[in-house]
Amino acid sequence: GIPPADYILRGKIARATQWLRDTDQSVTDIAMRLGFPSSQYFATVFRRYTRHSPRQARTVRVFLS
C-alpha cells in the first residue's frame, strides 16, 4: 500500500542503516553505492525516514518510521 518510489527508498535506507552499523565505510561511500546523487541528499532522505542523521545511526539503534 505504498508508492513504488517510497518502497525503493525504504529499502535503500534499511540497507544503509545496516552498512552504517556494521562497516566503517564513510557516509559518502554508502550514499554513492546506493545510487544517491550526493551525500547531502542521502542524509536528508535518511533523516526523513529514521529521524536520525547517518552519523547518529552508527551509535543509536535506528528504526524506519
Side-chain angles (χ1 to χ4, degrees), residues 11 17 24 63:
T17 301
D24 61 352
F63 298 99

Side-chain angles (χ1 to χ4, degrees), residues 27-28 31-32 35-44:
V27 172
T28 300
M32 295 299 119
F36 286 90
S38 71
S39 59
Q40 292 84 6
Y41 179 65
F42 167 70
T44 299

Side-chain angles (χ1 to χ4, degrees), residues 15-39:
R15 179 163 293 164
T17 301
Q18 182 179 10
W19 286 345
L20 287 164
R21 217 178 23 236
D22 298 341
T23 73
D24 61 352
Q25 292 181 58
S26 72
V27 172
T28 300
D29 287 342
I30 291 171
M32 295 299 119
R33 284 185 68 188
L34 292 171
F36 286 90
S38 71
S39 59

Side-chain angles (χ1 to χ4, degrees), residues 3 5-6 9-10 13 15 17 19 21 27 34 46-47 51 57-58 63 65:
D6 190 43
L9 282 176
R10 285 178 182 271
I13 297 304
R15 179 163 293 164
T17 301
W19 286 345
R21 217 178 23 236
V27 172
L34 292 171
F46 192 91
R47 187 178 296 273
R51 299 197 175 135
R58 291 199 189 270
F63 298 99
S65 55

